[in-house]
Every structure is written in structure tokens, then in C-alpha cells.
Amino acid sequence: MHNNLKDPALYINRELSWLQFNTRVLGQAQDKSLPLLERLKFLAIYGTNLDEFYMIRVAGLKKLFSAGVNVSGADRFTPLHQLREIRTFLHTEQQVVEECLQEIMHSLEKEGIFFRSYKEVTDEQRKILSKYFHENIYPVIVPIAVDATHPFPHLNNLSFGQIVKLRDKDDVTIERYGIIRIPRVLPRFVDIDNRIYIPIGSIVAEHIDDLFPGYELIKFSAFRVTRNADIAIEEEEADDFMEMLEEGLKLRKKGEIVRLELSNHADDDLLNFFNRHANVFKDDIYRFQTYLNLGALWQVVGNKDFAHLTSPSFKPRNLPPLDSDESLYTILDKEDLIIYHPFESFEPVVRLIQTAAKDPDVVSIRMTLYRSGSKSVIVQSLIAAAESGKQVTVMVELRARFDEENNLQWAKALESAGAHVIYGIAGFKVHAKAALITRRVNGKLKQYAHIGTGNYNPSTATIYTDISYMTSNDAITYDMTRFFHFLTGFSKKGKLNALYMAPTQIKPKILSLIHNETRMGSEGVIIAKMNALVDDDIIKALYKASQAGVKIQLIIRGVCCLRPGVPGVSDNIRVISIIGKYLEHARIFYFKHSTPQTYISSADWMPRNLLRRIELLTPIAGEESSKKLLQILQLQASDNVLAHELQNDGSYTKVSHESTSIINSHLIVETTTNKVYNSAKKQSPNYMQQLTTRLFKES
């Protein structure tokens, strides 16, 4: 029995675990059973994930290192150790990424999609490209000479362009360097007939005469820089670094360049010119045979002419009782609802807010808005409700990464319509997803609530798997009222009764639920699904539970710092990650001996969610709702197509299956949802019974 649960060897490093997650995304791009543009999509996701990782996590480690801070997580890796491991890992993986992209591009040619440089197209096509250059590129591009009188330009984060070396046509002994900035408003590829994609850099390189008249091109290289990201981003993903870097250390310059990507024809001469000004560490320089910006491949993935090369889209369904004309209030007066998105439609959630906005009996609507998307029907409904005199309270989280502008515009529109808008809570990010509607019925007030694991954004609700819980249960709606009071007022003792709120209640509750199963020994069962597991107190508690014989099944999409399968410590813990068509985003927990047994939450088991955010953990008591959540967990735990199992060395292996029993959890829920939807159209048997028998037959 291993008694020292503080032993660093029992913990997987957070950053290395994240790299393994992105490798699983890359695995989807390598999967030849998927359609070609679907594979290309996963390469684009891999690339944008990696950009963010460098901007935030690598930048944070570099800051810690240069500030001489050596503290680290439970694994005790120093910042320098982590940086070395990350760079080695990524330089090795880059080979795999490029081979994968080349193989996909080669296969796309058979389907009629081509990637070509300017030099590889016909004379006729060059004329088209030259015309395009003069009409669309030339007016917005920025050629910059770099010499004693022209300083090296400031390059924004993720900016892209060309480094050029030029020769004076009149005096061949004069050679000069320059930079061409290619603004983001321009597409990365210029396409001809929607099927031939020419990288913009190769078009620019052929028109150097127009940009630097009197000079000829000696050599050039595409470049792309990644900087330490801005503060708004840091607050979310790098808040653990921010804590380590106390005020005195934050004075160093923000936003230094943390990564430089170059095309493979960049020789040392061009690199040295660039690096005299940018000063990027040699191991953070990556040279590519293919394209610098994998995220740009979205342009090709979105080509409607080739939709047959992507995975078939699924139409989310309204299942009974939501498929009837009965009002949502009437349904919720009778029963609670658990909706599993994106298989089941997000429309009822939108409808709840829209109906409330128009309903003369509704007196107030309260809501947290974290990400609502740019054309939000929900926000439009809230504005209409406020204008019609209803009391509308909206908690807008301005620091929702990459959504700040949307959120700011909406907040202003809401305020001018007369809504009460709260912008965050000092020191905490509001990450809970909750809405509460108060309605006057027969002279009394009646409340209806929605609590979710995902955002109020109908577009992401078609690609993220999430849970919505809708109820008129008095204990829950009363707590929700108090929750909104905590947000709008002041409260040092924010404790709820039926719900649990971070930063004060969720972590102690999770620990006590784990402890309760630990007391049951080998009878104990825990199944927990989330995006990330980092909190070391919770990991220690899970280790103790495993040592007591509790069977623990963890379904964790991304980072997992717990090390399974360590003899005497975690031999009863199995960890899988599901990566597939949908982004797994729901947080669902099952504890066999607690009452109730199932919970949903907006929070992952990470210190930032449990201690530095306002989050909700919601017990789901109803028998049918609870059963549905348990089924989702059991189905995912038995997945053998999309699942990857975490090994005790920190790597993941794809779970294997016999050809007779293939369990692809995404496909099974799609199929089952359609079957239930179609049979409900004919007759309406007990929907839950049908779902249950189907799922169990199939898993």
C-alpha cells in the first residue's frame, strides 16, 4: 500500500497531459475511416488549440522561468523542465502533423480539391491571380523596409507575412531586408473555382516588383509569430500562473514573442535577420514544409461544394414531452426535464426565454450570460422583455475569452432597454449557467429554472455535448433566487441549500461525496465525467477511495493529472477520454451511495473552477432524470470507438473492440434519438423506457 499520496510520481503534469489531449485530436485527423474534410477539420482544430497553448501556457511557463519562480504543481516539475519536455514533444509531433496534412492533401486531389503554389498553376490561372492581387491584396498589404531609418515593425499576435531579402536592380552590391505584413482581413488561401487553393504568400512573393519597385527578390520565407496573449485571456487559462507571479514580478514586458513559425525555405540568413529584432528562443522556432497556419484550413473545410466530404450533420430533435404543443410551464409543472444536447434540441431552452419575454404574467427574468454568440435570440428576447416593463437581471461575464466584444455590445443594449446588468463579481468569474423565470399564477408567484453545463449559445449547442436541466421544483427555484441575490447584492456567507455554489460549497461537497463512497469500500462506485481533472485534493481523495476498493470510472476529455493503474494506489481507477464528432462538454457525476446519486455542474475539478469562480453543482433527484444521466455515463464508459484509455505512464491508447460489438457513443445516441423521435410521431409509449432499453441493448 502506497501511503505517501504526496509523492510527485503519482501526478501527471498538467501541460504534458494537455499535449496528449491535442495528440488525440490529431489522431482524428489521421483516422482514415473519417471523410477527408472531417480529417482536415481536426487538423485545423489541432492547430488553433496549439496556438492557444503557446500563447497562454508556454508563455506563462516562460514568465515563471525568467522571473526565477520554481514552484509547480503536485508533479513538482519546474518551469524549465516543463518547457524542455513541451518543446521536445512538439518538434517530434510536427513531423507527424506534416505527414498527415500531406497525405490528406494528396487524397483530396482525387476528389477535385487542389493546393497549389503560384508557380504551379497555368498561365490563364496566373492572370486571374494577378488581377486578384492588384484588386484585393495590393491595397491592404504593408511592405516594410528594415534598415537604420526604418525600424523593425511591431508584429501583432498571430500576425503573418513574408521576410524578404532584396537586391537593388541598379547596384547589385546593395542587398536589403524587408518584411511584408499580410493583414488578417485577407484570406489565407485564394481559391480558383472553389477547388484550387493558392496560399496568399506565394502570390505576394511573385509580385515583389510592385511592392518594392527597383528591387528584385533574392529569397523569402513566410513567417508567423505567436505572442504572450493579452490579459483578458490570461485571466482564464493562466490564472494559476498569475497567482505564482506576484505583483512585483508582473512588471516585465507583456506580449513578448513566444513562438516563431517559418516556412522551410527560411535559411539561417533570413532567420538571423528576423531574430536580431524579435529574439525568439531557438527551440521555439518551428520550420514547416506545409502551411504555417493550420487554423486557415477551416476555409477549405467550409467549402459547401464538397459537403459530401464531411461527416453527415445530425438534426437535433425535440423528444416527448417537448414535441407537443403543450406549454413549457404546463410540462414543468408536471415533471423535471433533462435534455441531452446536441442530440436533443436546444430550442426548448431558447423557447423558455422567448415565451417568458412575451408572457404578460411573467414578472421577472434573471440570467447569467457567459457566451451568447453574436446574433443572440436569447439576448433579443431579454431586451424585448425589459422594454415591456419586466424586471430583467442579467449577469454578463465580460471576460469570457474571445467573446468580450459580443458581450459588451449586448450588455449596453440590455442596459439601454432598462435591464439591470451586472458585470462580473470582483475577483471571481461567473461561469454558472442559470436562468430563472418568475410568473404570477392565480395571485401567487411560481418560478421556473434552467440550469446547464453549457453556454446560452444556440450555435455551439449543435456541436458541444451538454446537459440542460429544467424544473419548477420549489427547493431549487428558491435557491436560484438566493443565488441571483448573491450575484446582485453582497454576501460573505453565500451558502445554498438545495444547490451548491463555488467558491465555498462545491469542492467540500465533492470531497464528502467521494469520502462517503470510500466508507462503502468495495461496494462503492463513482462515475464522473468532465473536461479536466487537476485539483490535487480531489485526486488524493480518489486515490484513497481506490485504495479502499471503490470502483472509479472517469471520463475526462482533456487534462487529467491523476495517474491510474498505480499498484496499491489507483488500481481501481480507469480513465478514458472521448474524442469524436462532438466536443464533450457536459459535467455529470454519479455516486452510488449518495442521495441523490447524480449531479450536473458547470465546473470542472480544477482549482480555478472550484476556488476562483462562481459555479453551480446541481443534484438531480428525479428517478427518470437520474436514470437518464446514469445511462449517458454508462454508455460513454463502454464506448470502444471514440474512447482512449489513459495509461499509467501518461500516454493514451485507443480502446479496441471486436467487430461484433462496436460501441460509438455519439452514433448510438444519434440513432436512438432518431428512433425515439420517429416512434413518438407514430405513438407515444413511455419515452424513457424506450430510451433505456435501446441504450442498454446497444451498450
Side-chain angles (χ1 to χ4, degrees):
M1 189 88 149
H2 199 296
N3 287 326
N4 177 19
L5 295 183
K6 285 189 175 158
D7 180 350
L10 293 178
Y11 299 87
I12 295 170
N13 175 263
R14 173 190 164 147
E15 315 307 341
L16 301 185
S17 178
W18 185 91
L19 288 173
Q20 288 284 348
F21 155 67
N22 213 28
T23 300
R24 296 194 291 284
V25 174
L26 176 59
Q28 293 292 106
Q30 293 168 291
D31 182 347
K32 293 187 178 169
S33 72
L34 293 176
L36 286 166
L37 289 184
E38 196 69 15
R39 295 174 61 195
L40 200 64
K41 177 186 89 175
F42 280 107
L43 267 185
I45 294 170
Y46 171 90
T48 44
N49 283 350
L50 196 54
D51 288 346
E52 210 172 292
F53 180 72
Y54 241 95
M55 288 184 317
I56 299 162
R57 306 303 306 176
V58 175
L61 288 168
K62 290 179 85 152
K63 272 189 158 184
L64 292 184
F65 172 66
S66 56
V69 178
N70 261 336
V71 285
S72 61
D75 55 83
R76 311 312 298 154
F77 278 22
T78 64
L80 182 60
H81 183 169
Q82 294 179 67
L83 285 167
R84 283 182 179 149
E85 295 265 353
I86 289 166
R87 289 159 174 156
T88 308
F89 187 98
L90 288 176
H91 279 288
T92 312
E93 190 162 82
Q94 189 190 328
Q95 254 60 61
V96 184
V97 172
E98 298 229 75
E99 281 164 22
C100 177
L101 178 55
Q102 277 160 337
E103 184 258 311
I104 293 172
M105 291 194 308
H106 183 66
S107 305
L108 281 170
E109 297 198 345
K110 297 177 195 132
E111 300 288 344
I113 294 180
F114 303 90
F115 290 86
R116 294 281 184 262
S117 73
Y118 185 91
K119 284 185 166 36
E120 294 171 319
V121 298
T122 65
D123 291 345
E124 201 49 48
Q125 290 167 336
R126 285 186 198 185
K127 280 183 194 148
I128 297 171
L129 293 173
S130 279
K131 184 170 185 285
Y132 184 91
F133 173 82
H134 287 105
E135 289 176 2
N136 299 287
I137 300 177
Y138 185 75
V140 292
I141 205 161
V142 189
I144 301 164
V146 179
D147 56 26
T149 55
H150 299 82
F152 192 81
H154 171 81
L155 299 168
N156 294 337
N157 186 21
L158 301 182
S159 58
F160 169 79
Q162 306 274 18
I163 310 168
V164 292
K165 188 173 188 182
L166 308 164
R167 183 183 290 123
D168 189 321
K169 285 179 180 172
D170 300 329
D171 181 349
V172 293
T173 60
I174 298 177
E175 293 183 346
R176 304 184 59 181
Y177 294 98
I179 295 268
I180 301 169
R181 290 178 60 174
I182 300 176
R184 263 183 234 184
V185 292
L186 293 168
R188 278 292 166 260
F189 297 100
V190 174
D191 66 73
I192 298 177
D193 301 333
N194 245 2
R195 50 182 57 237
I196 302 169
Y197 289 88
I198 294 95
I200 195 165
S202 85
I203 303 171
V204 170
E206 295 299 326
H207 291 83
I208 288 296
D209 287 3
D210 297 305
L211 296 167
F212 296 98
Y215 287 87
E216 61 183 349
L217 182 65
I218 304 174
K219 56 189 168 188
F220 76 98
S221 164
F223 75 87
R224 185 168 180 258
V225 298
T226 311
R227 290 185 172 274
N228 183 348
D230 57 29
I231 291 176
I233 294 177
E234 279 185 2
E235 281 198 5
E236 167 141 344
E237 271 301 342
D239 64 1
D240 49 341
F241 294 144
M242 302 295 274
E243 289 221 332
M244 294 175 199
L245 282 167
E246 290 309 336
E247 281 311 309
L249 302 174
K250 284 187 198 163
L251 305 172
R252 282 175 340 286
K253 65 180 186 301
K254 277 229 182 303
E256 60 268 69
I257 296 179
V258 291
R259 177 180 63 167
L260 172 62
E261 294 165 286
L262 295 167
S263 54
N264 64 331
H265 38 278
D267 59 7
D268 288 348
D269 170 36
L270 289 178
L271 171 61
N272 292 337
F273 152 70
F274 192 90
N275 228 6
R276 277 199 297 280
H277 305 279
N279 195 18
V280 184
F281 183 66
K282 66 179 185 351
D283 290 342
D284 290 319
I285 297 171
Y286 294 81
R287 292 170 194 251
F288 286 83
Q289 306 286 331
T290 52
Y291 302 116
L292 303 192
N293 178 3
L294 291 173
L297 296 169
W298 278 110
Q299 189 184 338
V300 186
V301 174
N303 185 333
K304 294 281 181 278
D305 293 356
F306 292 90
H308 60 283
L309 298 179
T310 55
S311 287
S313 63
F314 176 79
K315 187 174 189 307
R317 301 297 193 182
N318 273 334
L319 298 184
L322 291 167
D323 58 344
S324 67
D325 299 332
E326 208 170 11
S327 92
L328 273 171
Y329 303 129
T330 315
I331 295 171
L332 294 175
D333 285 338
K334 288 188 286 203
E335 61 186 303
D336 288 356
L337 297 176
I338 285 284
I339 311 174
Y340 186 20
H341 310 300
F343 312 101
E344 295 174 60
S345 174
F346 190 70
E347 182 273 330
V349 180
V350 177
R351 196 190 337 159
L352 183 72
I353 307 300
Q354 281 180 315
T355 313
K358 295 191 191 110
D359 181 350
D361 295 329
V362 166
V363 288
S364 86
I365 305 175
R366 293 171 183 178
M367 229 177 146
T368 60
L369 280 188
Y370 186 65
R371 292 184 195 289
S372 52
S374 58
K375 296 186 174 62
S376 170
V377 193
I378 288 180
V379 180
Q380 285 160 356
S381 297
L382 293 171
I383 290 171
E387 283 170 345
S388 71
K390 292 182 171 49
Q391 185 206 358
V392 175
T393 307
V394 186
M395 162 73 238
V396 176
E397 183 47 77
L398 290 179
R399 292 164 305 177
R401 213 164 14 143
F402 308 131
D403 263 0
E404 297 90 341
E405 283 173 42
N406 280 342
N407 288 2
L408 197 56
Q409 285 168 353
W410 282 127
K412 292 197 170 120
L414 280 160
E415 277 187 331
S416 58
H420 177 57
V421 179
I422 316 151
Y423 297 96
I425 305 260
F428 294 99
K429 195 166 192 166
V430 178
H431 193 247
K433 320 291 191 265
L436 181 67
I437 287 152
T438 306
R439 196 168 176 256
R440 189 168 271 113
V441 183
N442 303 328
K444 288 199 183 119
L445 293 180
K446 175 78 183 154
Q447 294 183 303
Y448 300 87
H450 170 269
I451 303 176
T453 63
N455 304 308
Y456 288 109
N457 184 338
S459 58
T460 55
T462 59
I463 44 176
Y464 289 23
T465 72
D466 269 306
I467 299 293
S468 274
Y469 172 54
M470 293 164 96
T471 183
S472 66
N473 174 320
D474 293 340
I476 294 208
T477 56
Y478 177 71
D479 253 5
M480 293 268 290
T481 304
R482 296 178 62 218
F483 170 72
F484 281 104
H485 286 174
F486 292 144
L487 294 187
T488 53
F490 290 105
S491 170
K492 283 207 167 66
K493 309 235 177 329
K495 270 206 175 350
L496 302 172
N497 302 326
L499 301 169
Y500 300 87
M501 180 167 103
T504 48
Q505 288 175 288
I506 297 183
K507 183 168 168 176
K509 177 63 180 174
I510 298 287
L511 288 170
S512 82
L513 287 165
I514 296 171
H515 180 64
N516 187 45
E517 291 303 313
T518 308
R519 293 209 325 266
M520 307 311 294
S522 58
E523 293 295 300
V525 178
I526 296 172
I527 313 175
K529 171 179 168 53
M530 66 201 89
N531 302 326
L533 170 58
V534 176
D535 190 276
D536 44 350
D537 295 325
I538 291 183
I539 294 175
K540 282 190 197 97
L542 290 168
Y543 284 157
K544 284 180 182 155
S546 167
Q547 288 176 330
V550 178
K551 302 282 172 294
I552 301 168
Q553 170 72 58
L554 302 174
I555 305 160
I556 299 172
R557 180 191 80 216
V559 173
C560 176
C561 297
L562 174 147
R563 201 180 283 282
V566 177
V569 178
S570 54
D571 12 25
N572 287 313
I573 305 179
R574 177 174 183 253
V575 181
I576 61 165
S577 166
I578 289 179
I579 306 278
K581 180 174 174 182
Y582 301 108
L583 181 84
E584 290 294 335
H585 192 251
R587 292 92 170 180
I588 312 171
F589 315 121
Y590 168 81
F591 299 91
K592 188 180 175 183
H593 294 93
S594 78
T595 310
Q597 295 175 312
T598 51
Y599 298 79
I600 61 165
S601 183
S602 56
D604 289 312
W605 292 354
M606 302 175 78
R608 70 163 192 234
N609 296 87
L610 301 171
L611 306 173
R612 297 192 283 281
R613 291 203 177 167
I614 309 265
E615 304 264 16
L616 285 173
L617 171 73
T618 308
I620 305 293
E623 191 187 339
E624 293 206 345
S625 301
S626 192
K627 202 153 89 182
K628 184 167 174 179
L629 291 174
L630 179 57
Q631 269 154 31
I632 293 167
L633 291 174
Q634 287 171 325
L635 176 65
Q636 291 211 329
S638 52
D639 188 302
N640 56 20
V641 176
L642 309 173
H644 303 71
E645 186 165 357
L646 175 57
Q647 310 302 303
N648 71 8
D649 64 354
S651 68
Y652 284 75
T653 18
K654 211 157 168 86
V655 174
S656 58
H657 57 81
E658 278 87 55
S659 55
T660 48
S661 59
I662 293 176
I663 301 169
N664 173 332
S665 55
H666 289 173
L667 195 59
I668 286 177
V669 183
E670 280 187 352
T671 316
T672 310
T673 306
N674 270 339
K675 280 179 184 164
V676 173
Y677 175 78
N678 291 328
S679 68
K681 287 278 156 274
K682 299 188 192 83
Q683 77 275 4
S684 277
N686 179 334
Y687 147 66
M688 267 314 296
Q689 273 322 108
Q690 199 168 9
L691 190 61
T692 312
T693 46
R694 281 259 154 73
L695 287 182
F696 277 131
K697 209 157 59 204
E698 280 154 345
S699 65

